[in-house]
Amino acid sequence: MAHESAVANAGPDWAVMVSNVTKRFDERTVLGELNLNIAAGEFVVLLGRSGSGKSTLLRLLGSLDDDVSGTIRVPRRRAIVFQDARMMPWLTVLSNVTLGHPQTADVRRRALSTLTEVGLEKHAHAWPRTLSGGEAQRAALARAMAREPQLLLLDEPFGALDALTRIRMHTLLRDVYMRHRPAVLLVTHDVDEAIVLADRIVVLTEGSISFNENVNIQKPRHRADRMFLALRRRLLFELGVNEEQ
Ligand code: ADP
Ligand code: MG
């Protein structure tokens, strides 16, 4: 009964414990007897080709889906950021951040503080439609962090941004993470993004984990670095991408 265990705390050392999780859509197995633990405060990047089951796993960890066999343990405070910011257009940026919280002075103060962290304090009273794509994703990150999550789930959060904005978002996310230290599971299909950000990289191939390794490259990581390039090559191979093509 994954539904009941989904709200149980994973304990002080583990933020996520996924044991023997199998997820089927009709007759199709999308995740097959999956096992994955994430330590408290660990930054894990989940890589995989399109359709490999990444979002399915993320939705399970976010309790957006509970029709599954096996056991999933996650902390009580979780937050998810998607590729699109999903702001309510009729609410100001600040009200979007405080949405779902009791409207107390303390909540507003915390929301303003997270907006400041992502550099959006001047936009707190603006409408979401006035934000650029990068600003909207920063607002979505602020909204997630205002929940003070023990587990932050990110599903291709920078996938729709241009390359330069994406690089800036990597630095921002890393800074926010270092300050708050939630466990993070970031889904991406961008190998460079994975290597820049991850403590550990997990590759999902057709619903099974085919690669699971710590990244032992000193930070900040540079794309031209020899170890960066070597890991990049291995991951592209793992994903079935032939660089010579
Ligand atoms: P990824 O995020 O890695 O691209 P997904 O987790 O979204 O992959 O999907 C994995 C597989 O599960 C895909 O083949 C997709 O078509 C299928 N799938 C996802 N959601 C549903 C659903 N609600 N109903 C049926 N099939 C689904
Ligand atoms: Mg997906």
Side-chain angles (χ1 to χ4, degrees), residues 148-168:
E148 300 185 322
Q150 297 151 300
L151 174 62
L152 177 62
L153 302 163
L154 305 151
D155 195 350
E156 311 217 19
F158 315 131
L161 304 178
D162 64 83
L164 283 179
T165 307
R166 204 177 310 150
I167 288 169
R168 271 192 228 112

Side-chain angles (χ1 to χ4, degrees), residues 16 63 88 109 113 130 202 213:
V16 172
S63 307
M88 303 294 168
R109 205 174 313 117
S113 148
T130 65
V202 172
E213 285 189 21

Side-chain angles (χ1 to χ4, degrees), residues 51 54-56 155-156 187:
K54 305 183 296 298
S55 295
T56 301
D155 195 350
E156 311 217 19
V187 163

Side-chain angles (χ1 to χ4, degrees), residues 8-205:
N9 200 300
D13 299 330
W14 295 106
V16 172
M17 296 180 85
V18 170
S19 310
N20 282 316
V21 162
T22 296
K23 171 70 188 172
R24 292 193 182 88
F25 288 113
D26 302 320
E27 291 306 294
R28 229 181 115 222
T29 301
V30 173
L31 299 174
E33 297 188 10
L34 200 79
N35 294 294
L36 178 67
N37 290 352
I38 300 176
E42 190 182 14
F43 197 129
V44 175
V45 174
L46 183 64
L47 266 174
R49 300 172 81 152
S50 178
S52 58
K54 305 183 296 298
S55 295
T56 301
L57 177 60
L58 206 90
R59 290 171 56 80
L60 289 170
L61 298 185
S63 307
L64 299 178
D65 183 359
D66 57 21
D67 178 19
V68 71
S69 72
T71 318
I72 297 173
R73 290 177 189 275
V74 284
R76 192 170 49 81
R77 291 199 313 274
R78 308 179 290 282
I80 303 196
V81 177
F82 297 97
Q83 184 167 342
D84 51 330
R86 303 192 181 189
M87 296 278 136
M88 303 294 168
W90 59 88
L91 295 176
T92 64
V93 171
L94 180 63
S95 297
N96 267 283
V97 174
T98 60
L99 189 65
H101 299 266
Q103 298 298 309
T104 62
D106 198 41
V107 163
R108 276 177 74 85
R109 205 174 313 117
R110 198 164 67 221
L112 272 170
S113 148
T114 62
L115 281 170
T116 304
E117 270 191 63
V118 301
L120 282 185
E121 66 277 15
K122 289 203 181 73
H123 298 270
H125 302 289
W127 300 112
R129 67 178 154 72
T130 65
L131 301 180
S132 69
E135 287 167 344
Q137 284 310 85
R138 281 194 267 151
L141 181 60
R143 182 178 55 194
M145 293 315 295
R147 309 184 74 84
E148 300 185 322
Q150 297 151 300
L151 174 62
L152 177 62
L153 302 163
L154 305 151
D155 195 350
E156 311 217 19
F158 315 131
L161 304 178
D162 64 83
L164 283 179
T165 307
R166 204 177 310 150
I167 288 169
R168 271 192 228 112
M169 291 296 290
H170 293 160
T171 308
L172 179 77
L173 174 60
R174 195 74 212 178
D175 288 349
V176 168
Y177 161 73
M178 291 303 282
R179 223 169 290 128
H180 298 269
R181 280 298 185 141
V184 178
L185 185 64
L186 173 113
V187 163
T188 184
H189 56 251
D190 180 335
V191 170
D192 286 4
E193 181 165 292
I195 303 174
V196 165
L197 290 171
D199 293 333
R200 177 156 57 106
I201 295 178
V202 172
V203 179
L204 201 57
T205 305

